[in-house]
Structure formats: C-alpha cells, structure tokens
Amino acid sequence: MVKYRNLWCFLVVVELLVSCINGEDPYRFYSWNVTYGDIYPLGVKQQGILINGQFPGPQIDSVTNDNLIINVFNSLDEPFLISWNGVQQRRNSWQDGVYGTNCPIPPGQNLTYVLQVKDQIGSYFYFPSLGMHKAAGGYGGFKIASRSVIPVPFSPPAGDFTILAGDWFKKNHTDLKAILDGGSDLPFPDGLLINGRGANGYTFTVDQGKTYRFRISNVGLTTSINFRIQGHKMLLVEVEGTHTLQNTYDSLDIHLGQSYSVLVTADQPAQDYYIAVSTRFTSQVLSTTSILHYSNSAGSVSGPPPGGPTIQIDWSLEQARSVRRNLSASGPRPNPQGSYHYGLINTTRTIRLQNSAPVINGKQRYAVNSVSFIPADTPLKLADHFNIPGVFSLGSISDNPTGGGAYLQTSVMAADFRGFAEVVFENPEDTLQSWHVDGHILFVVGMDGGQWSPASRLIYNLRDTISRSTVQVYPKSWTAVYVPLDNVGMWNVRSENWAQQYLGQQFYLRVYSPANSWRDEYPIPSNARRCGKAVGF
C-alpha cells in the first residue's frame, strides 16, 4: 500500500507541475489600503484619498490575459469602490466596481477584486467611482503589455512613463459634493495637475538619443486638455488598446477619461524641457508644466512653455479624424487588427443618445434622452441576478431623443447578446461631451458638426477607424460608433464629466443572454456583497 500511495503522490505532483507549466495564465497579487491623508497639490492643504500612502496610487503593470487579485481595504469613514476605466471585464461585470454592479465596501472592511485582463493590451487607469471621490485622488495608472510572443509594431522603448493629468479643485470632495447636492454646478477648476503635482512638481529623466513611451490619461473632472513637450515631436502608437497609424503630432487633445500612448525621442540638445498641459474649450485657460530632464543636461528649462490650442474646435475635430487603426499590427492576439471587418457587419439596432442639462425640481441636473439617472437602493446587477422586483425596469430609457421634459429615473436599456449596435451621441449644447461605455469597445465611425441624420452614414469610416472605450462629442455636433454587444452583463454608460455623471448623465446597458451559461457570463463571485434589497439572498 505504501508503494501505491507513493506512486499516487508522485503522479499528483507531476500533474500539478504539468498544469503549472501548460495551464493557467499568470496571477498578480496586490494589497491596497485606502486612507485619507493630507496633500498639497496646488499649495493648499486638502484631504486626499491615498492608496498605500500614495497619491496617485500604485501603478498596475500587467500582461495580456493576466489574472489580477486586488485586495482593497477601506480605511475611510465612508463607503468606497474602485473601477477600472477601459478594462473590459470579459463575462465579468461583477468586478466592474461601479454602484450599478457592486455594493460599496463599508468602512473598515475589504473587497478582493478578481479580474482578468482578457484579450487586451494598452493604456488605462483606475479611479474611485462613488460620489465625488475622484476629486480627492484615489486614481492610478493601469498598463497591459503585450505577451512576448505577440509582435509590437515598434522597437522596445528605453523607458515607459505614465502621465495622469487633469483639472483639480482646491475644495475637498465633500464640499464639491455638497455644491452639486444643493442644485448648483461646480465652479471653474483651480488648476491642473500632472501626476498629483502642480507646476514643475514632477520630473521625467531621459537619456539623450533614446526613445521613451509616454502613456497619457486625462483623469480630470470637467475639462479636456492639450498635451505637448517643448521642442519634441510625439509619435502616436496606441489609443486605449488599439495600435494606431504612427502619425507625428506637436500636441494632442485628450478628452475626459481618454488615454493615449506616444513615443518621444530625446533628440534635442542636452538640457531640460517643459512638458505642458492646458485646458481646451474654456474661456479661462489653465495650464501647468512638468520637466523633461536629459540625464546629461547642460542647463535648466529656458523660454516660455510651449503654447497650445485653446478653443479651436475644427482643429481638434481634424486631429481626431486623423487617429486611425494600424491594420497590419497585431493586437492582443497574433491576427492583424484589420482582420475584424467591422464595416461589413450589418447593424442590428440604432440607438441615438442626446444629452441635455435640465433643471428638475429647482435643481441643476443632467440627462440622456430626457432621463436623469438616480441610483437605486440596490446594485442593478444584483437585482437582475436575484430577480428582485421594484429596483429597475427595462426600457426605462428610450432608444431615441424624446423631445419631452426631463425626469428622474433609474434608467436601464435592454440589449441582446451578440447584437451589433450603431450608437449616435448627439450633443446640441455649447460644451464638449465625453462618453464612456464599460465592458465594450467603440468603433468611432464618424463625427461631425450639426444634426445627425441617416445621410450622415455616407461619411462613415468603415475601414480603419480607431476603437476605444471613451469618445468625445464636440459642441453642437454628433459622434457615431459601432458597438459589438459581445459582453454579457450590466454595464455603465456615462458622461466622463464627473459632475454631470453625478447629476444624472448616465444609464446602464443590460446585455442579456438567455442561455444562462458560464460560457457567456461568470457566476456571481463567492465574495459578492449583498446590500439594499439583496440582503438575505
């Protein structure tokens, strides 16, 4: 018996070794403690949200298909959630980290996110999704590198930098929330930050003659930004998971929630140079700078920071149209990005989404197709999973602008799994909009001024448009996207202007499969919290 027991143990060990060698994708483990802490980003003491004592929070470095185990402990005195901007959560909206899918983490407790960066590459960020927490920090970079066996359409850079830029308020997030709750809009921001610091507060060191990758995200609350580097050109190589045609730019417009990846060669005389960021489409222009420092620098920065565009919409529109897909490059898989012929697929549905800024019950609100979203007392995903009545109703937001008065509603739109939707974002207002869809990619087939009509399809790019998760809509303009509805779950569709999102400019898209199969959607996690009407299920 001992002989057979030893043989059995030996076989078990061999099987485990083989499964480790040939089996699952790698795991990466993170443990985060979320606390308040004093920060001084614009020279004024504020209560910031720190992760492991850091602002911004720790960077996530991962590789396509990695499994990420992220234990988040909430040491704040209020509930907390983190969401992952642009990470698709394939079959797994349970991990999306917004209130429509997850119960918040209570003070003094933790939540372990278990997510996989399935079939993705690129540059993203994470952020706190509840209330106005984003105005206090709690965000960080999220990088997904290509697997070593997948060719990348440029030589490996000498270094890889993350830039998290955006507008900032001197008021604490609780004060900003009180302003919105009181029925008013936010004041104009007080400044801009680069990686949590004000003017010249951050330095990027490079070696002369070498090329570096900069991953730039707009993590602000209310404004688009323009990004540029004094005396240097930027070669665009990737946008939110898509390798691009490698066009060269002097500056780039980056709208709320968007991420761009550029290559910069340190080919100038050895000194220091400004990295400049300024607001776009604002009557008052805010700007800030960081330093690009050559390691053999013979001098400090000189001259004024490079100026950028301010209110020129046509310039920005033409730049947006110039961002195209690299059809011959591989994505997260070895097949070329151009092998998915999105322009030859018949759309199964057209959805027109029009934003508005109504006053409801004497308070400033924001709406989509006349519906201003109000959160339910129970996460919508839990209510859907447990068939809890009275939380939401499907069809509570129309597929088209209604032209009627705005009203408050927990709005959820039904969608069929494996549909292929044409979504047109229509912006009749004078301010720029930025829209994000969780769990999906958006093929940006067209954008133009004026009113969209079926004839607008004649100018669609059906061959090599970019795909991304966040798209801008210029003032009094429209943007059309094609969306493969290939990810079952309850997904947030929102304005990336955080005040407008907070005041109702969002809804949820329920992508449904009647198969009720693990092939289409993962089962509810064992650690999923129950709250609201889901308590006891």
Side-chain angles (χ1 to χ4, degrees):
M1 287 295 292
V2 173
K3 173 182 177 181
Y4 288 110
R5 190 184 304 118
N6 290 341
L7 176 61
W8 180 83
C9 291
F10 173 78
L11 291 175
V12 169
V13 171
V14 169
E15 183 179 0
L16 287 172
L17 288 172
V18 170
S19 67
C20 288
I21 293 170
N22 298 325
E24 279 193 280
D25 295 300
Y27 281 76
R28 296 175 187 260
F29 296 87
Y30 299 85
S31 182
W32 290 354
N33 186 29
V34 181
T35 62
Y36 290 124
D38 292 339
I39 57 175
Y40 301 81
L42 292 177
V44 176
K45 180 180 176 180
Q46 293 178 258
Q47 183 188 67
I49 293 179
L50 314 179
I51 299 179
N52 292 352
Q54 301 177 41
F55 168 60
Q59 166 113 351
I60 293 179
D61 292 318
S62 61
V63 177
T64 300
N65 293 347
D66 278 357
N67 296 283
L68 306 180
I69 313 298
I70 306 170
N71 182 31
V72 178
F73 190 88
N74 180 16
S75 294
L76 307 181
D77 59 3
E78 56 186 325
F80 184 79
L81 275 176
I82 285 181
S83 190
W84 323 92
N85 207 72
V87 178
Q88 290 179 21
Q89 312 289 359
R90 304 297 301 173
R91 299 186 290 166
N92 201 15
S93 65
W94 302 107
Q95 307 295 335
D96 203 31
V98 291
Y99 182 65
T101 59
N102 296 92
C103 295
I105 310 169
Q109 299 188 37
N110 74 303
L111 172 66
T112 300
Y113 291 87
V114 181
L115 55 97
Q116 186 180 27
V117 288
K118 183 70 174 171
D119 292 333
Q120 280 191 271
I121 60 165
S123 309
Y124 310 96
F125 63 92
Y126 61 84
F127 68 97
S129 62
L130 294 185
M132 293 299 291
H133 282 168
K134 193 178 181 185
Y139 54 73
F142 196 132
K143 178 176 71 176
I144 309 174
S146 297
R147 291 174 288 166
S148 59
V149 296
I150 306 298
V152 175
F154 49 86
S155 299
D160 195 313
F161 299 113
T162 293
I163 294 182
L164 304 171
D167 55 34
W168 190 260
F169 293 82
K170 292 180 180 178
K171 291 182 180 293
N172 285 337
H173 75 279
T174 51
D175 296 327
L176 297 177
K177 182 175 179 295
I179 291 172
L180 297 175
D181 290 341
S184 300
D185 210 343
L186 293 183
F188 192 70
D190 295 301
L192 297 177
L193 302 184
I194 297 175
N195 288 359
R197 301 180 186 180
N200 298 338
Y202 205 94
T203 298
F204 301 88
T205 300
V206 297
D207 292 334
Q208 192 173 29
K210 294 183 178 179
T211 298
Y212 296 83
R213 184 171 184 170
F214 287 80
R215 303 171 187 264
I216 314 144
S217 296
N218 184 344
V219 296
L221 297 175
T222 63
T223 55
S224 300
I225 59 174
N226 181 267
F227 179 89
R228 52 209 179 268
I229 302 178
Q230 183 183 26
H232 293 73
K233 302 288 187 180
M234 297 180 291
L235 188 71
L236 184 64
V237 294
E238 176 256 330
V239 172
E240 294 164 25
T242 302
H243 290 304
T244 66
L245 284 182
Q246 295 181 10
N247 296 329
T248 300
Y249 298 90
D250 293 316
S251 71
L252 277 172
D253 277 354
I254 305 174
H255 306 285
L256 288 165
Q258 292 185 339
S259 299
Y260 285 77
S261 188
V262 299
L263 297 180
V264 177
T265 300
D267 56 4
Q268 298 301 302
Q271 63 176 61
D272 291 355
Y273 297 87
Y274 285 113
I275 295 175
V277 174
S278 57
T279 57
R280 289 286 268 127
F281 319 116
T282 56
S283 56
Q284 175 187 348
V285 178
L286 299 175
S287 61
T288 194
T289 52
S290 287
I291 303 299
L292 183 73
H293 170 69
Y294 279 43
S295 58
N296 61 337
S297 175
S300 60
V301 290
S302 60
T310 53
I311 59 173
Q312 302 91 331
I313 293 174
D314 288 346
W315 182 95
S316 186
L317 176 62
E318 288 307 309
Q319 182 180 89
R321 288 171 171 165
S322 73
V323 179
R324 302 292 183 90
R325 170 181 301 268
N326 186 334
L327 295 178
S328 61
S330 298
R333 294 181 176 181
N335 51 302
Q337 292 184 148
S339 63
Y340 183 75
H341 299 289
Y342 68 92
L344 300 179
I345 302 173
N346 292 327
T347 56
T348 57
R349 179 179 180 184
T350 295
I351 301 168
R352 294 169 52 211
L353 301 174
Q354 188 176 99
N355 54 266
S356 59
V359 174
I360 302 177
N361 299 328
K363 293 185 176 183
Q364 178 66 64
R365 297 288 300 185
Y366 293 89
V368 190
N369 287 359
S370 301
V371 185
S372 186
F373 182 87
I374 51 173
D377 61 357
T378 305
L380 308 180
K381 181 61 182 169
L382 290 181
D384 195 32
H385 179 75
F386 292 120
N387 296 313
I388 302 172
V391 177
F392 71 90
S393 59
L394 293 174
S396 44
I397 179 171
S398 171
D399 279 16
N400 296 285
T402 66
Y407 57 95
L408 303 175
Q409 179 75 45
T410 304
S411 40
V412 179
M413 181 179 290
D416 294 331
F417 182 42
R418 296 199 176 99
F420 194 75
E422 174 190 39
V423 179
V424 183
F425 296 101
E426 301 179 3
N427 179 16
E429 298 183 281
D430 291 328
T431 56
L432 184 139
Q433 291 286 327
S434 187
W435 285 97
H436 177 89
V437 179
D438 280 356
H440 294 80
I441 59 170
L442 315 175
F443 289 90
V444 188
V445 293
M447 55 176 64
D448 204 356
Q451 177 66 44
W452 180 89
S453 72
S456 303
R457 294 172 179 140
L458 296 175
I459 68 168
Y460 281 6
N461 176 0
L462 300 181
R463 180 176 180 270
D464 67 345
T465 192
I466 199 71
S467 61
R468 60 191 316 166
S469 61
T470 308
V471 66
Q472 72 271 27
V473 192
Y474 292 98
K476 297 189 180 302
S477 301
W478 58 266
T479 294
V481 300
Y482 282 176
V483 187
L485 298 170
D486 57 357
N487 201 9
V488 173
M490 187 74 72
W491 302 106
N492 192 220
V493 180
R494 62 176 177 267
S495 170
E496 283 290 316
N497 181 309
W498 213 246
Q500 295 178 12
Q501 177 273 156
Y502 179 77
L503 291 179
Q505 209 156 74
Q506 60 172 310
F507 65 94
Y508 280 82
L509 185 69
R510 177 188 185 252
V511 181
Y512 177 70
S513 169
N516 193 26
S517 168
W518 288 13
R519 179 193 63 192
D520 296 339
E521 183 179 31
Y522 292 147
I524 184 171
S526 59
N527 68 338
R529 294 183 179 279
R530 276 68 162 167
C531 54
K533 292 185 175 69
V535 172
F537 280 84

